[in-house]
Amino acid sequence: MLELTSVSSGYAGAQVLREVSLSLNAGEIVCILGRNGAGKTTMMKTIMGLLKASQGQIIFNGTDLTTIAPHKIAGCGIGYVPQGRRLFSELTVAENLEIGLMAGNKSSATLDKVLGMFPRLAERLDQRANTLSGGEQQMLATGRALCLEPQLLLLDEPTEGLQPSMIALIRDTVVALKKQGVGILLVEQRVDAVLSIADKVMFLENGMNRDVMSADHLRDNPDLLKKYIGV
Amino acid sequence: MELAPYLILGSIEGLVTAAVLALMAVGLSLVFGVMRVVNVAHGEFFMLGAVLAWFVADMIGGHPAVSFVAALFIAPVLVGSLAVVADATILKRIKYDPERTIVATIGLLYIIQQVTLMTYGSNARPVEPPFNQRISIPWFEWTESGLSMYWPWGLGTTTYKLAVIGFAVILLLAIWVLMTRTRIGLIMRATQLDRDVAQAYGINVDRVYALVFGLGAGLAALAAVLIVPIQQAHYLMGHDPLLLSFIVVIIGGLGSLAGTVVAAVLIGLSDGLISVFFTPTLAKIIATLIVTFVLIFRPSGLLGKHNP
């Protein structure tokens, strides 16, 4: 489904990601762990074409994403939930979701499905995104991405600053999507939340791929967490 | 001297100025709001609209209404298309960098101005209005026999000026509908709020920018076509409207379309009233003073977003 081969990228002369490789299959949850500044968000942005890969290939279902225009990547079936949610703050809930529907060229049937997953959004369709609570904003950010009916979902720190009940809702949603065959690339700081749902874990350090292992292996060897991320 | 009739006269003149200013400033505000580009060449798009209106009217001839309606469609489309070309060949190439776009649009200003001077010349040329009946404005006074109506000398306007106000109101409503009720408006607002995320959600930001730059320039040209039967077309006519547009956009709040319209009405009315009772120069001085106070006491403008 998704194959990164020796991908490097960064910001205006400063290289952040260095020759990172990764593979992710349909229905698989891969989690990226690493300290702040390790390059996790940079990797997400590079996959979405928001940062140009200076080297390497990003193949998604046979298409090299590094060769197509950034606005065409969503249409390939990739949903993106950025760090900090980054909703269209002045737009209503309905308008934010409509942007997702437009990106995936989906109909109102998809919207009904998403609102079924997050009923609270249905009650707030005419409310501006910046007036929602943190948890509701995360639901909206996730719902907006799901309006594309993506085959691959990129989630960048989706539980950041959320209360436990909301974290559980996001985790249940991710597990449900995995069962539907959606591939999920997850950046997360909460290791406990990750280990219970991930299939594979990748450690990034200074923009380099330190290790990739199964989540089972990491659960059996908790000392590896201390070694790679100091927790 | 009875004051009230002249207040009415000043208000009508002010509303004509406000109508044209609102259209032009909304274009400037739209470009800044969505693209974060301070378009210093906006006044030249206005001037070009007026000059093209003269060319179209001159070429078509016949009844003034026919040539004017033709100019109303042709000039904004041509100016908008020129802006789209400028976007693709200049602004896109410098990646819409805020500082570099200011310098680039200053360059564009001089190119448009000098090419116009070389081709159109330095003369001011009129375009005949499609209709221009004079309307006297009545006033009332108490006499021994009760309330009676009379027509003060010089108190009047023209049907064309009233039509300019009406047409501008319709156009501004159309822009509001476009921005808030249509899919393309939603796309423009999303791009304005977060360019990167808009791109990640399939929005072709380059195309949106081209459209917005063309639309902004087209609005400036449309404003010029409306005003040219009152003011005449001249290659230096873009300077004052550009200054006033910046004043309006700053007072209204950068990127706020509603604020821009409110500020245009304020500045237009004060311009009209002060010009009637004092001088147009004093009106400009007061507008500049207002913008100074706004920048000191409310830098985000009347309806702009407050940045702590």
Side-chain angles (χ1 to χ4, degrees), chain A residues 150-220:
Chain A
Q151 299 168 54
L152 171 66
L153 186 62
L154 309 184
L155 291 164
D156 197 346
E157 302 205 16
T159 64
E160 189 183 18
L162 297 186
Q163 61 188 44
S165 63
M166 214 47 83
I167 293 173
L169 176 67
I170 299 294
R171 191 187 57 222
D172 292 348
T173 306
V174 169
V175 170
L177 289 168
K178 170 188 161 71
K179 283 181 185 159
Q180 291 168 24
V182 177
I184 291 160
L185 188 59
L186 177 66
V187 167
E188 186 54 79
Q189 298 278 8
R190 298 175 56 90
V191 178
D192 54 331
V194 167
L195 286 180
S196 61
I197 58 171
D199 297 300
K200 215 155 66 179
V201 175
M202 174 192 193
F203 287 101
L204 270 183
E205 192 175 68
N206 293 327
M208 286 182 288
N209 183 355
R210 283 293 304 272
D211 208 346
V212 180
M213 64 190 69
S214 74
D216 289 339
H217 181 71
L218 189 57
R219 272 192 292 269
D220 295 339

Side-chain angles (χ1 to χ4, degrees), chain B residues 192-217:
Chain B
Q192 172 172 0
L193 291 166
D194 195 325
R195 175 200 150 102
D196 278 355
V197 177
Q199 200 155 244
Y201 277 84
I203 293 174
N204 186 342
V205 169
D206 286 343
R207 197 174 289 175
V208 173
Y209 279 10
L211 175 75
V212 167
F213 203 62
L215 183 64

Side-chain angles (χ1 to χ4, degrees), chain B residues 34-70:
Chain B
V34 177
M35 303 169 69
R36 301 283 138 185
V37 166
V38 178
N39 180 17
V40 185
H42 199 63
E44 302 318 302
F45 290 137
F46 175 85
M47 176 273 287
L48 211 49
V51 167
L52 285 173
W54 179 84
F55 271 118
V56 171
D58 192 54
M59 276 170 59
I60 291 178
H63 192 279
V66 176
S67 52
F68 182 81
V69 170

Side-chain angles (χ1 to χ4, degrees), chain A residues 4 8 11 26 35 51 70 83 105 107 114 116 134 146-147 152 167 201 207 219 222 226:
Chain A
L4 274 72
S8 300
Y11 303 84
R35 292 188 173 93
L51 289 174
Q83 186 181 24
N105 206 15
S107 66
V114 171
L146 294 182
C147 279
L152 171 66
I167 293 173
V201 175
R219 272 192 292 269
K226 189 152 190 139

